[in-house]
């Protein structure tokens, strides 16, 4: 593995201060994406700043929102009594990421910052009108994911927590790659009283909101003629763009039927 | 860098390069070669150990990240000559052929059994998604994990 130096930040301020403008230092969260990327020479940071001692984990439930600290592990979100009570579909989503060992290390902040087109959390962020809190500002989910592995974070900006609106109902449907268990397509549907929200991951370069389907309301039984912009859909050895579009329609109907 | 690790109840102070993986310390510095490296790409689970009681892939964790924590490897399970109930179950159920995946399977299985009392077959299959076996076809592994989980419960109540 490439050489790099390692340090453990003791607070949020310490972590941000350890960053420099060169972009050659990187935050290390669970390491479940960053360490394999370094091994495969896809990334070559000179310094890693471990966030595990910076006090960024934990789950807080408010009256209308639930807020999850950036360093909260997938396994802890899946097992959290508070999340299971407030938004069971979110706990279900976290419990279906990768495998048990990935869930024991991987974090919500790392997953969101990585902005993998096939990651699960982004669908929930869109579906639950989430706000990404950073050390500098608050970014609405719809403005956060902007391209293939690209997001609105500036160099050195650190995600501190993610705040989700508590819906009346929600469901996550995932068509998983049988080997990696990443989402070939994942749809997170949520209802807020009678208003519906649909977040889609896996299908396109980045997670998006399928607003055209939302307009058809909770009782919708057929989405085959609803428009779906496929201009930035993924096509790879697992699924063509056309097949992914088909999956988006099928999984959305399934998710909405469970609301 | 200097790190402190407690491995199988023995405290160690080690000086390792910052980019050293936990699995490299276990197999290299400490000569605990029961933890295997299969893929080295986070896929196969041959390298699973417990860090502070949780199963993790030791090829996907820096030794530095484990500084100050407790690590348990396959070598730390048996009590003298008597095997851990999960090891005993793998032996009795013929849950291995070449044995390469076995240490990782057993470490994952113990974590799973500790976390889910009243484990079902479906939960075992789901819980072992991160562990790949090229030989057995999994049937006997699933049987062994169910038997091992009962064995662990019996041992805890006796
Ligand atoms: C075998 C395997 C299967 C997987 N399957 C799935 C799956 O099915 N679904 C899924 O969604 N994911 C899956 N993953 C990815 C997993 O969820 C990772 O945990 C996640 O993508 C990255 O989180 P991390 O905490 O490990 O981050 P790291 O790997 O530590 O970091 C990832 C990136 O985010 C940056 N970063 C980390 N934290 C912050 C922060 N707070 N602020 C700013 N930047 C930050 C890092 O600098 C790095 O660039 C899988 C991974 C593996 C190895
Ligand atoms: S060697 Fe670690 S997962 Fe395969
Ligand atoms: S027994 Fe050979 S890989 Fe599992």
């Amino acid at each position: 593995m490439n050489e790099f130096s390692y340090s453990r930040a003791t607070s949020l301020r310490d972590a941000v201060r350890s960053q420099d403008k060169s972009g050659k230092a990187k935050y290390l969260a669970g390491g479940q994406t960053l360490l394999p990327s370094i091994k495969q020479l896809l990334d070559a940071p000179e310094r890693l700043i471990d966030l595990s001692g910076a006090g960024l984990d934990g789950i807080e439930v408010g009256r209308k929102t639930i807020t999850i600290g950036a360093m909260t592990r997938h396994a802890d979100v899946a097992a959290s009594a508070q999340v299971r009570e407030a938004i069971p579909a979110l706990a279900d989503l976290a419990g279906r990421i990768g495998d048990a060992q990935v869930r024991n290390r991987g974090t919500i902040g790392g997953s969101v910052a990585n902005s993998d087109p096939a990651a699960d959390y982004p669908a929930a962020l869109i579906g639950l009108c989430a706000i990404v809190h950073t050390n500098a500002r608050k970014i609405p989910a719809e403005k956060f994911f902007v391209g293939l592995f690209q997001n609105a974070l500036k160099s050195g900006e650190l995600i501190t927590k993610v705040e989700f609106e508590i819906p009346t109902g929600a469901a996550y449907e995932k068509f998983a790659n049988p080997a990696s268990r990443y989402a070939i397509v994942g749809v997170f549907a949520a209802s807020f009283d009678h208003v519906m929200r649909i977040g889609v991951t896996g299908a396109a370069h980045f997670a998006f909101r399928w607003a055209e389907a939302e307009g058809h309301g909770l009782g919708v039984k057929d989405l085959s003629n609803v428009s779906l912009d496929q201009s930035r859909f993924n096509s790879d050895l697992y699924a063509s763009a056309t097949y992914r579009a088909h999956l988006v329609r099928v999984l959305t109907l399934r998710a909405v039927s469970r609301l | 860098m200097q790190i402190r690790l407690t491995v199988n109840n023995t405290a160690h102070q080690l000086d390792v390069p910052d980019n050293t993986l936990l699995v490299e310390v276990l197999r290299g510095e400490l000569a605990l070669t029961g933890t295997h490296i299969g893929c080295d790409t986070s896929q196969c689970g041959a390298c699973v150990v417990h860090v502070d009681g949780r199963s993790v892939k030791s090829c996907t964790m820096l030794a530095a990240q484990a500084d100050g924590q407790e690590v348990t490897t396959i070598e730390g399970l048996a009590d003298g000559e008597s095997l851990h109930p999960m090891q005993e179950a793998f032996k009795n159920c013929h849950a291995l052929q070449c044995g390469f995946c076995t240490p990782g399977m057993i470490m994952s299985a113990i974590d799973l059994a500790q976390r889910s009392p009243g484990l079902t077959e479906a939960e075992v299959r789901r819980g072992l998604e991160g562990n790949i076996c090229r030989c057995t076809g999994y049937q006997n592994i699933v049987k062994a994990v169910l038997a091992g989980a009962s064995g662990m419960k019996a041992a805890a109540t006796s």
Side-chain angles (χ1 to χ4, degrees):
Chain A
M1 195 158 46
N2 265 338
E3 279 189 22
F4 50 77
S5 66
Y6 166 98
S7 62
R8 202 182 281 183
T10 52
S11 67
L12 171 60
R13 271 188 57 198
D14 185 29
V16 176
R17 213 175 23 211
S18 310
Q19 266 287 5
D20 51 27
K21 297 272 177 300
S22 67
K24 292 195 176 141
K26 279 217 146 169
Y27 296 124
L28 173 65
Q32 300 303 290
T33 296
L34 187 50
L35 294 176
S37 307
I38 296 174
K39 286 187 189 178
Q40 291 170 59
L41 303 179
L42 297 170
D43 207 340
E46 288 177 3
R47 288 197 298 127
L48 294 187
I49 305 161
D50 185 348
L51 302 177
S52 64
L56 293 172
D57 57 340
I59 297 169
E60 254 176 60
V61 188
R63 221 161 44 80
K64 292 193 167 156
T65 64
I66 188 157
T67 306
I68 304 181
M71 282 301 291
T72 314
R73 316 259 177 209
H74 307 327
D76 293 332
V77 174
S80 156
Q82 292 163 299
V83 179
R84 291 165 82 101
E85 155 107 38
I87 320 180
L90 187 61
D92 169 51
L93 174 149
R96 289 163 68 188
I97 294 174
D99 53 56
Q101 289 70 40
V102 167
R103 293 193 292 273
N104 277 342
R105 298 289 306 158
T107 67
I108 188 169
S111 174
V112 172
N114 197 49
S115 301
D116 189 310
D120 294 295
Y121 269 127
L125 265 73
I126 301 275
L128 295 171
C129 314
I131 309 266
V132 180
H133 292 242
T134 78
N135 59 308
R137 58 193 168 130
K138 298 181 189 176
I139 312 168
E142 269 186 86
K143 299 221 162 89
F144 185 86
F145 302 105
V146 298
L148 196 65
F149 292 100
Q150 283 178 340
N151 56 48
L153 290 178
K154 300 202 176 98
S155 172
E157 191 169 358
L158 189 150
I159 298 176
T160 53
K161 52 192 179 183
V162 182
E163 183 179 2
F164 296 94
E165 275 188 34
I166 298 173
T168 338
Y172 183 57
E173 285 285 339
K174 168 172 172 175
F175 191 78
N177 178 320
S180 74
R181 285 165 302 279
Y182 272 103
I184 290 176
V185 171
V187 175
F188 196 99
S191 58
F192 295 88
D193 295 321
H194 297 292
V195 182
M196 183 160 86
R197 286 270 297 198
I198 308 289
V200 180
T201 193
H205 290 185
F206 53 95
F208 66 92
R209 178 178 170 195
W210 189 17
E212 290 86 346
E214 294 172 3
H216 289 259
L218 290 167
V220 63
K221 292 278 179 295
D222 181 8
L223 290 166
S224 47
N225 293 320
V226 177
S227 79
L228 176 62
D229 175 12
Q230 289 175 47
S231 58
R232 279 184 293 204
F233 264 44
N234 301 319
S235 214
D236 53 31
L237 91 139
Y238 306 117
S240 65
T242 314
Y243 182 50
R244 280 189 159 89
H246 174 71
L247 286 176
V248 172
R249 296 178 195 282
V250 171
L251 297 182
T252 303
L253 275 184
R254 283 188 195 164
V256 171
S257 73
R258 288 169 53 205
L259 290 177
Chain B
M1 68 179 293
Q2 292 281 336
I3 57 169
R4 285 182 304 109
L5 287 183
T6 303
V7 183
N8 302 333
N9 295 323
T10 307
H12 298 273
Q13 183 127 24
L14 301 153
D15 191 9
V16 295
D18 289 17
N19 65 351
T20 311
L21 297 167
L22 178 58
V23 72
E24 294 172 333
V25 165
L26 297 173
R27 290 180 54 87
E29 309 272 324
L30 303 179
L32 294 169
T33 52
T35 301
H36 293 163
I37 303 177
C39 63
D40 202 18
T41 55
S42 324
Q43 313 283 326
C44 76
C47 64
V48 171
V49 301
H50 296 178
V51 176
D52 276 356
R54 282 186 169 196
S55 60
V56 305
K57 293 173 181 170
S58 62
C59 77
T60 313
M61 180 167 184
L62 298 172
Q65 288 176 287
D67 182 23
Q69 300 183 318
E70 305 238 352
V71 179
T72 307
T73 69
I74 189 80
E75 290 91 344
L77 296 181
D79 182 5
E81 290 294 300
S82 53
L83 294 176
H84 184 283
M86 194 59 80
Q87 291 175 305
E88 197 65 48
F90 268 64
K91 187 175 146 204
N92 294 340
C93 297
H94 192 60
L96 56 145
Q97 289 177 27
C98 79
F100 193 85
C101 68
T102 313
M105 284 285 178
I106 290 178
M107 297 315 286
S108 293
I110 291 173
D111 186 20
L112 180 66
Q114 278 167 346
R115 246 157 254 284
S116 343
L119 207 54
T120 63
E121 178 181 337
E123 282 166 353
V124 171
R125 289 187 187 277
R126 236 195 110 219
L128 294 181
E129 277 176 335
N131 293 79
I132 294 173
C133 175
R134 288 293 192 200
C135 302
T136 63
Y138 300 100
Q139 294 301 98
N140 286 355
I141 293 179
V142 174
K143 267 191 221 159
V145 176
L146 289 168
S150 315
M152 282 166 64
K153 231 195 242 166
T157 49
S158 72

